[in-house]
Amino acid sequence: MFFDPRSDGMKPEPFTHSVYTAIVVPRPIGWISTVGADGVVNLAPFSFFNALTGDPPCVMYCPLGFKPGTTEPKDSLTNAEATGEFVFNLCTYDLREQMNATSAHEPAGVDEMAAAGLAPAPSKNVKPPRVAAAPIALECKYLETVRLPPSSSGSPNNVVIGEVIGIHVDDAVISDGIIDIAKLRPLARLGYLDYATIEPSAVFSMARPG
Ligand SMILES: Cc1cc2nc3c(=O)[nH]c(=O)nc-3n(C[C@H](O)[C@H](O)[C@H](O)COP(=O)(O)O)c2cc1C
């Protein structure tokens, strides 16, 4: 089948649910910690997240739309723009429930890390704390926000880009000089309400040509 999302939307026959998020899969989850101008810690997951470049390392996440019932941007956007900093925390299978809990819409004054029962660990080069239980964290300096065309209902689509200026790796996930994917067990987002993690038996290597 073929469809044009501009005229057909994201749920043409025979789909029963909006299909786009089931098409680009699996997506890594950017579990983003920021602090407000008042110092309150914010933590939220973004599956429109990815690494963009390796040298210098840059990442992006997309705070889309507004806080429910308002025309205010999401705190993860407001905070990164106000303070110039954010942290990517790697969400593992073991942290899936806490990650999900941090997607709840809390008022800006609520420490979302504490509310999800997560301990903070200090960052070195930026103010926002990292999730202590996350085996990898990337401290990021905010670079810019790219404003993409708004949604069909007129709500904003933002891409926040940052440069990684500090990398934490838990020694427990390092084996023989590499990051051991079996120990890491990163969580990935699929479509609908589905998630996946990586089982070692599903991993294979392939040399590049030439
Ligand atoms: C797995 C997962 C992925 C999500 N990905 C996004 C995303 O890419 N963009 C977005 O705007 N919201 C996404 N959300 C919803 C946000 O996490 C939610 O709106 C959150 O409350 C935003 O928090 P904030 O206002 O503290 O920034 C996602 C939620 C979950 C559970």
Side-chain angles (χ1 to χ4, degrees):
M1 73 175 291
F2 170 81
F3 64 99
D4 180 337
R6 295 169 299 179
S7 50
D8 304 327
M10 277 299 173
K11 208 172 68 171
E13 277 286 318
F15 295 115
T16 53
H17 296 82
S18 178
V19 76
Y20 185 67
T21 55
I23 286 174
V24 183
V25 287
R27 292 186 305 286
I29 297 172
W31 204 10
I32 305 296
S33 46
T34 54
V35 289
D38 53 3
V40 175
V41 176
N42 192 83
L43 179 65
F46 293 87
S47 76
F48 290 120
F49 165 85
N50 224 313
L52 291 172
T53 53
D55 179 18
C58 292
V59 297
M60 62 114 209
Y61 66 96
C62 300
L64 310 173
F66 299 116
K67 294 200 221 179
T70 75
T71 50
E72 290 171 35
K74 293 187 176 181
D75 294 330
S76 304
L77 174 63
T78 307
N79 293 353
E81 289 182 338
T83 65
E85 297 175 337
F86 65 89
V87 174
F88 158 86
N89 302 274
L90 186 124
C91 181
T92 61
Y93 179 77
D94 288 344
L95 291 169
R96 64 195 181 284
E97 297 293 351
Q98 292 93 326
M99 178 282 296
N100 200 24
T102 61
S103 72
H105 290 278
E106 301 284 2
V110 172
D111 178 332
E112 292 183 327
M113 212 180 276
L118 292 161
S123 296
K124 284 201 190 305
N125 292 338
V126 299
K127 239 195 235 137
R130 57 203 169 91
V131 174
I136 290 179
L138 305 177
E139 299 182 7
C140 299
K141 182 179 72 173
Y142 168 87
L143 292 179
E144 64 175 297
T145 305
V146 177
R147 317 269 169 199
L148 294 179
S151 76
S152 50
S153 63
S155 66
N157 285 316
N158 302 292
V159 183
V160 173
I161 300 173
E163 179 182 342
V164 177
I165 57 168
I167 300 179
H168 299 261
V169 182
D170 185 343
D171 293 340
V173 300
I174 304 174
S175 302
D176 301 325
I178 61 169
I179 291 178
D180 188 335
I181 195 78
K183 292 181 177 162
L184 199 61
R185 301 207 76 200
L187 195 69
R189 188 77 170 94
L190 304 177
Y192 317 115
L193 299 178
D194 297 341
Y195 292 83
T197 187
I198 297 179
E199 298 300 335
S201 62
V203 176
F204 62 95
S205 302
M206 202 161 51
R208 285 203 190 175

